[in-house]
Amino acid sequence: MNFPGIILNFAPSISTTYNRTISLSLTVLSIVCTAPILAQTKSNLPNNTPDQNSSEIRVPDPPEAPSLSETINWSHSATDLQPLSENLSPEPNPKEPKLNKNPKSLTNTYLDPNYIIPPRIAPKEKINPGTTTLPLNDIPISHLTEWQLSALQAFAETTNSDIFFNGTLKIQSRVIESLTRNNIYTVDQKGSYFQLRTIPLERTITTTTIEPQTMNGLEMQMSLTGACIFAGTNSNQQCTYMPGLVTDRNSIDPKFFVPTRVLQTSQLGEVVKPETLAFMQLPSFQGGTQSQEIGVDLYFPNTGAFPGNSQSQETDFQRKEEINYTLAGTFSRVRQVIKANDTEAVLGRTIRGFTIFVDGKNPWLNTAIQAGAQLLPDVIPDLEGSVNPANPNINRNLFLAANNTRLPSSSFTIYSAGLGRAESLTPNITSLNQIPRANYHSLWFGLSPVIERNFEDSETFYQPTGPQFSLANAGAEGGENSNVQLISAVNQDTYSTANIQNFYTQVYLNFLQQEVNFVRENIYREKMRYYPHLSFTGDWTGSQYLLRYYGGIIASEEVKLYLGTDYTRNTVNGWIFRGGVIGYINPDRDYYSQVWGNVGKIIRFSKNANLTLSSGFNYAIDRDTKIGDIVSISPASEVAIATRLNWGIVSISLTNYFGGILPNSYDNRLLAEFSISPIKTLTLSGYIAPIDETSSRSLYGAGIIWQLKNQYNSPTLSFNWQNQQYDYGNDIFGNKLLVNDNIFTVLFRVGHPGNPF
């Protein structure tokens, strides 16, 4: 469920071998502040691409000319073309050197003969932020960025998590522009930034099943003595015909109520003392004297249990989730160089970063790698000069292509270097499809998260809920004149009262019961570690399409290689097409091969009203279905159709997910969403799922976003609520095992200055 202003990310649910969900957690990843990369078409279908940095394109209205500085007009429309000569200084006479009177010039000597306009600091208020915007560790920044901070806290009965925050602070930033004698216009953007944010370190989910049971027990007491027949004895003596065995009642296991130690107090054939024999013939069972213990006295509190007792016939199920975060501080240096001549423009972008984790793995390896990467060079694009004046109408697709490149999400950049190129606009361009495409190709090196999952040893035990009592008992004792009979089998020898002279025997049995709870505690744990990640990526961005490619390697303990591509196209009559594929070697539950696609149609009724119809699928080919040695299937594939109506301040959508069409699919779900913005700074939203067969589901929820001003980074408060259900099937009594929870999230965002886009 996407509320305006934040992204709610539901972690995939985990299922045990009997296909019951173990977990679902709510984590707010980042503030939505989409850079002007490619305007996203609003759709109910989820983003099925393997990253969160892609976006869809739409057919734009002819934009106004975004002026980068007083010297150059950056435009996407041929109608905005202006003669460059009106903005450029006349060619200087080398025989008459002039002092540079530009107060913001970087030189204070005679005008450099190599420049028409020498390098100077461009006024930031006259630079269009769309030309300086770039993503920095999932946060878009521009030359206007000063600082921004977001903080989120989640409250839930079953989940305990630390506060999540993400902050960016500008250390230094400036944009330098110049125009050379051979008509190359250059804009050199430099900046350094410090970012501090919390990242998940460990996630633990503990589920506890408490099943009422009735436990059976047994107490068995026996002895058999008679005239001795063993070697070294005579018939006038009395011997025992069974070994002495006694349960040590102090050794009863407190978890399972079973004896852990049985003491042997006498041997078979041992001569019984007269005083011991006399004591044993007293009423009830007598196990001999303290000086001579004779007979068997065994106690088994637990000989088996059956479901239910007088206190309850219903299983209690409890779930507890705990998320621990750690701090990550990043110092980044950014440089973007743009050059333009009379026919084309080029862009070079370099980002260096150094991240320190307060508590994390691989500290020495990651530190050494990051330190070495700081020595890698800046990317300075090459461009040939011309006798013709520089073209002021730089193709906007150049900036879109640079920001359309696929960057690994939730990662930290160590070194990124890319080059882009695009032909500039000319007066003969009269339609959108005539605008030349741009391309951008880059290398990205950084640290990406890999999650290690495991089920820890489960804890199982019995918990008494009542005293032990005797359900039934019976017993007898006597000698030759009684009707008591007993057979004692020891090893291969058998002794019976029918064959022993002058015998005396005791036989007592006591059947016991006790009401207990059978408690099973399962612990599922996730640990996040960051590993070096090298990626090569690029794209071709046109006014109505985007084609990307990407490949890379993640140097985790099990090295992961991947290769993928995706394509997006919009038409002038409102059609949207998208598809892609990515393949992994050594896939896991987070990085796995996928094929996805969707198609949509926008029907416009007026400027403020439209209807979107869309359908799509995502096929997770080889997502790992095991955690350790345990089969744990988590759905990832889906097929869906959706419709959304936007009418003024109101938006209504309906999405249906079809289960069972693709392997490992989500179950059937019908989702209805509603939002209204009575004023520009206030949005109310809600959703309901009348049909939801998934094991972890949210059936309804609501949210509110209030912004102090209608500007980016204005103080914003967001409050969201959702009802969450975890379905663990049925217990042994046929009762539904459901865990209900209400999750409340409060987000606050603030920053300076206003909208950088």
Side-chain angles (χ1 to χ4, degrees):
M1 172 66 186
N2 288 342
F3 292 109
I6 64 171
I7 296 176
L8 298 184
N9 177 46
F10 295 91
S13 58
I14 306 300
S15 303
T16 62
T17 53
Y18 48 89
N19 199 26
R20 295 300 172 198
T21 299
I22 292 295
S23 70
L24 183 148
S25 71
L26 171 67
T27 305
V28 175
L29 295 181
S30 63
I31 304 302
V32 175
C33 43
T34 307
I37 301 171
L38 289 178
Q40 291 191 348
T41 301
K42 200 168 186 180
S43 171
N44 292 327
L45 292 178
N47 183 3
N48 296 320
T49 58
D51 66 278
Q52 298 293 329
N53 297 299
S54 59
S55 56
E56 299 178 357
I57 59 177
R58 63 175 174 83
V59 179
D61 297 324
E64 298 179 359
S67 181
L68 178 66
S69 71
E70 294 178 301
T71 306
I72 278 291
N73 292 325
W74 303 77
S75 176
H76 197 286
S77 174
T79 60
D80 294 327
L81 288 171
Q82 298 293 335
L84 183 63
S85 59
E86 296 179 2
N87 297 322
L88 299 185
S89 303
E91 183 173 333
N93 185 347
K95 296 181 179 180
E96 298 179 5
K98 298 180 181 180
L99 290 175
N100 183 3
K101 298 181 180 180
N102 181 4
K104 293 190 176 182
S105 174
L106 297 183
T107 62
N108 56 8
T109 59
Y110 291 103
L111 188 65
D112 192 331
N114 295 319
Y115 289 93
I116 298 175
I117 299 178
R120 66 180 184 181
I121 298 176
K124 65 178 182 180
E125 66 275 6
K126 298 198 175 190
I127 301 174
N128 189 291
T131 64
T132 63
T133 296
L134 54 89
L136 182 62
N137 296 327
D138 295 334
I139 298 297
I141 63 169
S142 75
H143 74 287
L144 295 178
T145 300
E146 295 289 340
W147 62 272
Q148 53 185 321
L149 174 67
S150 62
L152 180 138
Q153 180 65 63
F155 305 92
E157 295 179 10
T158 66
T159 303
N160 180 28
S161 64
D162 301 327
I163 188 171
F164 173 91
F165 67 88
N166 196 339
T168 299
L169 175 65
K170 183 195 78 173
I171 305 300
Q172 178 271 336
S173 175
R174 69 177 183 178
V175 178
I176 300 172
E177 62 177 354
S178 64
L179 181 65
T180 64
R181 178 64 57 194
N182 60 346
N183 294 307
I184 295 179
Y185 181 73
T186 302
V187 177
D188 192 345
Q189 173 189 354
K190 293 183 179 180
S192 57
Y193 302 86
F194 177 73
Q195 293 177 307
L196 185 66
R197 71 178 181 182
T198 51
I199 58 172
L201 180 66
E202 185 174 276
R203 176 170 171 251
T204 303
I205 300 172
T206 303
T207 56
T208 304
T209 306
I210 304 175
E211 181 182 325
Q213 292 186 356
T214 300
M215 180 183 293
N216 294 318
L218 176 65
E219 189 177 39
M220 182 170 59
Q221 299 169 316
M222 296 179 295
S223 68
L224 176 61
T225 60
C228 294
I229 60 173
F230 301 100
T233 63
N234 57 67
S235 59
N236 294 327
Q237 295 176 312
Q238 290 284 314
C239 292
T240 176
Y241 284 85
M242 60 177 56
L245 299 174
V246 178
T247 298
D248 182 2
R249 302 203 177 200
N250 293 323
S251 72
I252 303 298
D253 183 84
K255 290 185 177 180
F256 298 101
F257 297 159
V258 293
T260 60
R261 185 169 59 177
V262 176
L263 305 176
Q264 184 171 354
T265 58
S266 60
Q267 300 288 334
L268 173 70
E270 183 177 326
V271 177
V272 181
K273 300 176 183 179
E275 60 271 20
T276 300
L277 183 62
F279 184 75
M280 293 174 62
Q281 292 177 355
L282 294 175
S284 72
F285 176 77
Q286 307 297 334
T289 61
Q290 291 184 349
S291 60
Q292 187 179 32
E293 295 186 47
I294 300 296
V296 173
D297 186 0
L298 299 178
Y299 173 57
F300 303 99
N302 182 11
T303 58
F306 58 88
N309 54 42
S310 63
Q311 301 178 39
S312 178
Q313 297 288 322
E314 184 175 350
T315 301
D316 182 25
F317 193 89
Q318 300 174 1
R319 179 186 183 277
K320 191 67 177 177
E321 179 176 350
E322 185 171 352
I323 305 174
N324 295 320
Y325 293 91
T326 187
L327 289 174
T330 303
F331 176 75
S332 299
R333 291 179 293 157
V334 174
R335 187 177 186 186
Q336 179 171 279
V337 179
I338 303 164
K339 293 182 179 181
N341 61 15
D342 60 327
T343 60
E344 62 180 342
V346 291
L347 181 151
R349 179 180 292 176
T350 309
I351 300 176
R352 295 184 187 84
F354 197 104
T355 301
I356 296 179
F357 301 92
V358 173
D359 186 7
K361 302 295 183 180
N362 308 324
W364 299 113
L365 175 62
N366 290 343
T367 300
I369 291 175
Q370 294 184 95
Q374 303 306 307
L375 303 177
L376 295 175
D378 288 349
V379 176
I380 309 297
D382 291 328
L383 188 65
E384 292 184 0
S386 171
V387 296
N388 299 318
N391 189 341
N393 293 282
I394 293 179
N395 192 340
R396 183 169 175 259
N397 286 334
L398 177 63
F399 304 101
L400 301 183
N403 288 341
N404 278 334
T405 184
R406 178 187 183 268
L407 298 178
S409 62
S410 303
S411 301
F412 294 93
T413 299
I414 297 176
Y415 179 75
S416 177
L419 283 170
R421 185 177 296 268
E423 294 181 9
S424 299
L425 303 183
T426 58
N428 60 347
I429 294 177
T430 59
S431 63
L432 199 62
N433 57 13
Q434 291 179 323
I435 298 176
R437 72 180 184 183
N439 65 81
Y440 183 83
H441 308 277
S442 68
L443 175 149
W444 181 92
F445 181 57
L447 299 172
S448 291
V450 176
I451 300 177
E452 299 175 355
R453 297 173 168 88
N454 71 287
F455 287 103
E456 297 188 354
D457 293 337
S458 302
E459 188 173 2
T460 305
F461 59 92
Y462 286 98
Q463 184 182 65
T465 59
Q468 189 181 64
F469 60 92
S470 176
L471 182 66
N473 59 75
E477 59 181 287
E480 292 180 330
N481 297 324
S482 67
N483 60 354
V484 181
Q485 299 180 1
L486 181 66
I487 297 176
S488 173
V490 182
N491 296 329
Q492 303 299 321
D493 300 320
T494 301
Y495 308 97
S496 172
T497 53
N499 302 319
I500 299 176
Q501 300 295 321
N502 195 22
F503 73 86
Y504 191 86
T505 184
Q506 303 176 94
V507 180
Y508 289 93
L509 295 176
N510 189 9
F511 296 93
L512 308 170
Q513 274 193 355
Q514 186 175 15
E515 294 187 346
V516 297
N517 284 331
F518 181 51
V519 181
R520 286 171 295 180
E521 188 177 83
N522 295 310
I523 299 176
Y524 167 75
R525 194 178 304 276
E526 294 178 352
K527 294 183 178 180
M528 182 177 290
R529 301 177 65 178
Y530 283 82
Y531 290 91
H533 182 177
L534 179 63
S535 173
F536 299 91
T537 180
D539 67 88
W540 292 267
T541 297
S543 298
Q544 296 177 265
Y545 71 92
L546 167 65
L547 174 63
R548 304 192 305 176
Y549 69 90
Y550 29 86
I553 179 172
I554 303 175
S556 56
E557 293 184 3
E558 190 175 44
V559 176
K560 306 179 190 305
L561 294 148
Y562 65 90
L563 185 66
T565 182
D566 61 66
Y567 179 76
T568 301
R569 182 171 182 82
N570 288 9
T571 66
V572 293
N573 56 354
W575 284 99
I576 309 160
F577 302 94
R578 192 174 191 198
V581 61
I582 188 170
Y584 276 88
I585 295 178
N586 296 324
D588 60 17
R589 300 178 76 87
D590 303 297
Y591 303 100
Y592 52 92
S593 304
Q594 301 176 69
V595 178
W596 68 92
N598 58 58
V599 59
K601 169 68 173 176
I602 301 177
I603 304 172
R604 301 187 184 277
F605 304 124
S606 66
K607 183 178 180 180
N608 297 320
N610 61 74
L611 176 68
T612 301
L613 305 174
S614 56
S615 64
F617 76 95
N618 180 61
Y619 178 28
I621 300 174
D622 53 10
R623 191 181 192 195
D624 194 6
T625 58
K626 295 181 68 177
I627 299 178
D629 297 328
I630 299 176
V631 176
S632 178
I633 299 175
S634 180
S637 301
E638 62 188 10
V639 176
I641 60 172
T643 180
R644 177 181 291 273
L645 175 64
N646 299 310
W647 197 285
I649 63 173
V650 176
S651 177
I652 302 173
S653 68
L654 193 66
T655 306
N656 189 75
Y657 299 89
F658 300 92
I661 296 179
L662 294 175
N664 193 25
S665 283
Y666 290 99
D667 293 326
N668 295 323
R669 188 180 187 221
L670 178 63
L671 177 66
E673 300 172 86
F674 171 83
S675 67
I676 183 172
S677 300
I679 57 177
K680 291 184 177 180
T681 58
L682 180 65
T683 300
L684 307 174
S685 59
Y687 69 92
I688 184 172
I691 300 174
D692 196 332
E693 299 175 1
T694 56
S695 55
S696 292
R697 51 182 173 260
S698 179
L699 300 180
Y700 45 86
I704 180 173
I705 297 177
W706 176 69
Q707 198 170 10
L708 188 61
K709 294 181 180 179
N710 188 29
Q711 295 178 349
Y712 177 76
N713 272 344
S714 294
T716 301
L717 181 65
S718 173
F719 176 81
N720 295 317
W721 159 73
Q722 68 177 58
N723 176 265
Q724 186 68 39
Q725 283 189 357
Y726 306 96
D727 187 352
Y728 290 87
N730 298 329
D731 65 6
I732 196 170
F733 309 105
N735 302 310
K736 200 74 172 175
L737 292 178
L738 282 177
V739 176
N740 276 285
D741 199 1
N742 290 297
I743 301 174
F744 300 91
T745 57
V746 179
L747 179 143
F748 180 72
R749 185 188 69 193
V750 67
H752 177 79
N755 192 342
F757 308 129

